[in-house]
Amino acid sequence: MPWEEAAETALASNSGGTPLLRPQTTGPAVEAASVHQYAWRGTWVVAARGAYDLNSIQPLTDALASAARDHPIVVLDAAGVTFADSTLLNLLILTHQTGKLRVVAPSPQLRRLCEITGVDGLLDIRETLDAATGPL
């Protein structure tokens, strides 16, 4: 039995079979991760949307690796990142080490994660796409 199913069963009833706790069925849905790429003002932009963790990071990993290999400057548009964990932080650091990465408009959640871990001092973070595609 999967953990989620076992936990739901344990929380849903006691030895008398009466419900103790109902699982929450409302609330914000987790947005699936998506990656879009395009050229903007001579710079390659990778736009990340949705939640990124170990299970959803691969398309973004592939996009950033390819972009860093083929373009002198890569801009990650992170405004649409709704969730990020250490998997995305590791990817940002790796991309930064292999090429010129600029992160533009990180979502509040991603910005906070970068601040807490100190990664904001390492990465080139810009507020707008125009600022990220402008001069160093």
Side-chain angles (χ1 to χ4, degrees), residues 85-109:
D85 65 7
S86 62
T87 308
L88 180 58
L89 284 182
N90 287 331
L91 175 59
L92 296 179
I93 293 167
L94 177 65
T95 305
H96 168 76
Q97 291 173 339
T98 60
K100 185 75 177 156
L101 174 68
R102 294 178 181 168
V103 179
V104 64
S107 64
Q109 193 272 340

Side-chain angles (χ1 to χ4, degrees), residues 37-84:
Q37 302 181 63
Y38 57 93
W40 178 260
R41 295 176 53 190
T43 305
W44 195 250
V45 178
V46 177
R49 303 288 181 258
Y52 288 94
D53 61 15
L54 186 60
N55 295 317
S56 61
I57 198 74
Q58 195 60 51
L60 184 57
T61 300
D62 296 342
L64 287 175
S66 175
R69 186 174 49 250
D70 298 339
H71 302 280
I73 298 174
V74 177
V75 172
L76 174 64
D77 177 353
V81 174
T82 57
F83 173 81

Side-chain angles (χ1 to χ4, degrees), residues 109-124:
Q109 193 272 340
L110 179 56
R111 183 178 297 277
R112 181 73 177 134
L113 186 60
C114 289
E115 289 170 357
I116 289 170
T117 59
V119 172
D120 62 330
L122 173 71
L123 299 176
D124 184 357

